[in-house]
Amino acid sequence: SSSSSSSSSSSSSGSGSSGRSSSAPAAGRARAAPRPSAKMANTLKPYLDCIRTTLTAAMCVRNFPSQIVERHNKPEVEVRGNRELILNPLTVSRNENEMCLIEPSINSVRVSIRIKQADEIEEILTRMFSRFLMQRAEQFVILRRKPMANFDLSFLITHKHLEDMWKHKLVDFVITFMEDIDKEINGMKIAINTRARIVAYEYIQQFA
């Protein structure tokens, strides 16, 4: 009887240990599963990190008066009066519909952004939202009132901006701006689809 009791106790302890061991990997797998939001953020992170690194390197500008007109100091990337003062433009592209163009010069940097537009709704929202922001360009300080061709928004950073503001803060502003504008457009698109669904449902109910 003692041997049977000992064998039963050993079998119960073995089953308990096996139960714990089988549940532990499952819990580990549950903890290791990534969240969808984190996965979406990770897909955008390499693109934004590349822009951050490139923009930080391109913003090495200094005060440089005009070589043509006395007492004039204008952004060479806009004037383009001296080719030796313009550096090679850099394009950071995520795909054919989403890219960033960085045009450095000796005393200024121009950053142009093309926002992702997957369908006609996003094209309309991007056009209206960009126009809304550009009409209030003076509140953003570095935002241009008119974007470059084939782009939705453009920024112009001069040596004066870097003298008055911190360089890394300007870079953070551009990166945060790109993140937030995507979120805003996606949020507006979801709101439009939700409202259209409700309107269509109420309209069909009249014929039910």
Side-chain angles (χ1 to χ4, degrees), residues 63-76 79 107 159:
N63 187 4
F64 193 87
S66 175
Q67 299 183 112
I68 301 175
V69 183
E70 186 178 0
R71 294 180 178 273
H72 276 234
N73 193 330
K74 296 183 178 181
E76 291 293 336
V79 178
N107 63 354
H159 69 93

Side-chain angles (χ1 to χ4, degrees), residues 8 14 19 21 31 43 57 85 100 107 117 157 161 178 195 206:
S8 62
S21 62
R31 286 194 299 268
T43 59
L85 304 179
C100 176
N107 63 354
Q117 303 171 36
I157 304 172
H161 295 140
M178 295 179 65
R195 185 174 180 179
Q206 297 177 4

Side-chain angles (χ1 to χ4, degrees), residues 115-133:
I115 304 170
K116 177 177 65 69
Q117 303 171 36
D119 50 25
E120 294 183 1
I121 295 179
E122 289 188 0
E123 291 179 3
I124 296 172
L125 290 174
T126 300
R127 184 172 64 252
M128 296 180 64
F129 193 53
S130 301
R131 183 180 178 185
F132 174 83
L133 294 176

Side-chain angles (χ1 to χ4, degrees), residues 196-207:
R197 190 181 300 110
I198 295 173
V199 171
Y201 176 79
E202 294 295 334
Y203 180 76
I204 294 174
Q205 285 295 105
Q206 297 177 4
F207 303 96

